[in-house]
Amino acid sequence: MQDTFIVGKINPDGKKFDSVSRIEAEGESLEMLMTLDVNTDVYPIKENEKHVVLLTSTLNKDGSAVGDYYTQTGRDSIADKFDYIMQGKIYRISEEGSGANVKAEIYVSFGGLLMLLKGNPSYVSEFDLDQRLFLCMRRL
């Protein structure tokens, strides 16, 4: 899944950690809402910026699966086109609402940095509980 997200708010509930900010962003084309913890020492972020966000199960260009850990040594990968990469695991999938108003919620932990992705269930139907994911971001 890939979309361009516009950062709306940073730390809406106050800053809790020195190096981490929680952003709220909305996807332009898929209309997904994303809440994401970002290590701002590594990847500074500002309100109203646009970022391309890709969620993928692999960084291999040929789509082949990655092993227990990923090493990019000496080969081209999807990561080459992004500035900020995190690997995590889906720990919860749920639905909110009913009928035409149903929204899927996907929760991912990236080593303690969390993400909530909320929106149309058809856009997130390819994801499974306990699935490992890479989050790739770049500023536009």
Side-chain angles (χ1 to χ4, degrees):
M1 185 191 89
Q2 180 173 318
D3 198 1
T4 299
F5 283 83
I6 301 169
V7 178
K9 295 179 184 176
I10 299 176
N11 298 314
D13 298 325
K15 187 135 174 98
K16 299 189 181 356
F17 301 101
D18 291 336
S19 301
V20 176
S21 289
R22 179 162 284 176
I23 66 166
E24 291 180 352
E26 185 171 348
E28 284 188 323
S29 59
L30 300 181
E31 298 179 359
M32 302 290 287
L33 298 175
M34 178 176 67
T35 302
L36 177 67
D37 294 340
V38 177
N39 181 332
T40 50
D41 280 352
V42 175
Y43 189 71
I45 205 159
K46 296 177 185 168
E47 288 183 358
N48 301 315
E49 284 183 334
K50 290 184 178 185
H51 297 263
V52 173
V53 176
L54 170 69
L55 289 174
T56 181
S57 60
T58 184
L59 292 177
N60 295 324
K61 285 187 172 182
D62 64 3
S64 61
V66 296
D68 290 338
Y69 65 94
Y70 184 79
T71 179
Q72 190 177 339
T73 307
R75 61 180 165 178
D76 292 338
S77 79
I78 293 170
D80 295 336
K81 295 183 179 183
F82 293 90
D83 302 318
Y84 185 67
I85 314 284
M86 293 192 294
Q87 182 180 14
K89 191 174 196 179
I90 297 174
Y91 68 90
R92 183 175 162 197
I93 299 175
S94 62
E95 288 188 353
E96 177 183 276
S98 62
N101 296 325
V102 71
K103 301 285 184 198
E105 296 179 331
I106 300 218
Y107 296 82
V108 184
S109 176
F110 300 98
L113 298 179
L114 303 177
M115 179 182 79
L116 165 61
L117 192 61
K118 185 177 182 178
N120 187 327
S122 65
Y123 297 134
V124 295
S125 61
E126 66 200 56
F127 300 118
D128 297 311
L129 190 62
D130 293 329
Q131 179 181 356
R132 289 184 4 201
L133 286 178
F134 292 94
L135 176 131
C136 307
M137 289 180 73
R138 79 171 172 268
R139 192 172 284 104
L140 284 180

